[in-house]
Amino acid sequence: MEIRFSGSGGQGLLLSARILAAALTEAGLTVAQSNAYEPVSRGGLSRSDLVIGEAEADYPLARRLDVLLILDEAAATVSTGLLTPASLVLCDAERVTTPPQGPFRTLCLPFTETARTLGTPRVTNIVALGALTAQTSICPPEALLAAIVAQTPARFERLNREAFAAGLAMGETEPA
């Protein structure tokens, strides 16, 4: 399976990919992660790819995306050439105004809006991770929640738990 987290710098995309990679590795899968970002701390194009399998990846970079998560308009069309009719595209409904168009399945969900209702848009990435988990069943939600708690500061545990739960609920309301 190949997953790309994409958006702009400062959105926690690399953290989200690292969290998912940790949960999948704990479950016994092999994960290759590659990151690319523009040399600015916030606002530049950013992405993180995961290539997931039971054996070591023969090529560590994404070539055919099963899932594309887009959190910012800056990344809306960058990865379209890697999508297939079986791909799932998850977009932030507020920050992605022109989602990719094609024969693949696209869901635009209120990730940022939901994070804001929890008190800060800084957990948009965790909300999106919850929705991705619900839509793909890539790993048990409990395993991903344990990775979130392990990979983020303890002072944000309650907020991250709430953000993940909100994302799961959001993803479960959409047909998979």
Side-chain angles (χ1 to χ4, degrees):
M1 177 176 254
E2 297 182 3
I3 300 174
R4 175 169 287 173
F5 295 81
S6 63
S8 61
Q11 291 186 301
L13 297 162
L14 305 183
L15 174 62
S16 293
R18 190 171 67 236
I19 289 168
L20 181 55
L24 294 171
T25 300
E26 185 68 26
L29 295 170
T30 301
V31 181
Q33 180 178 357
S34 62
N35 304 315
Y37 45 88
E38 292 179 353
V40 293
S41 62
R42 293 203 178 275
L45 188 62
S46 176
R47 76 165 195 265
S48 187
D49 293 350
L50 298 180
V51 178
I52 306 151
E54 293 187 12
E56 189 172 319
D58 60 345
Y59 187 70
L61 303 177
R63 295 180 285 192
R64 183 193 53 78
L65 296 173
D66 296 290
V67 180
L68 172 61
L69 174 67
I70 307 171
L71 294 185
D72 191 86
E73 183 69 25
T77 59
V78 175
S79 304
T80 305
L82 300 177
L83 297 170
T84 72
S87 298
L88 169 63
V89 179
L90 297 171
C91 297
D92 185 304
E94 180 178 317
R95 296 192 53 123
V96 180
T97 56
T98 55
Q101 301 295 310
F104 39 83
R105 187 167 163 250
T106 301
L107 288 175
C108 293
L109 301 170
F111 302 138
T112 298
E113 179 184 334
T114 301
R116 198 177 294 113
T117 65
L118 295 171
T120 177
R122 291 187 63 179
V123 292
T124 298
N125 62 324
I126 303 298
V127 173
L129 201 50
L132 185 149
T133 302
Q135 281 291 306
T136 63
S137 302
I138 190 163
C139 71
E142 307 78 39
L144 197 49
L145 183 57
I148 290 168
V149 170
Q151 298 275 329
T152 59
R155 69 183 184 272
F156 298 118
E157 182 176 340
R158 180 191 58 76
L159 179 60
N160 284 327
R161 284 180 180 274
E162 291 174 0
F164 184 67
L168 273 176
M170 179 187 308
E172 289 170 350
T173 62
E174 296 292 330

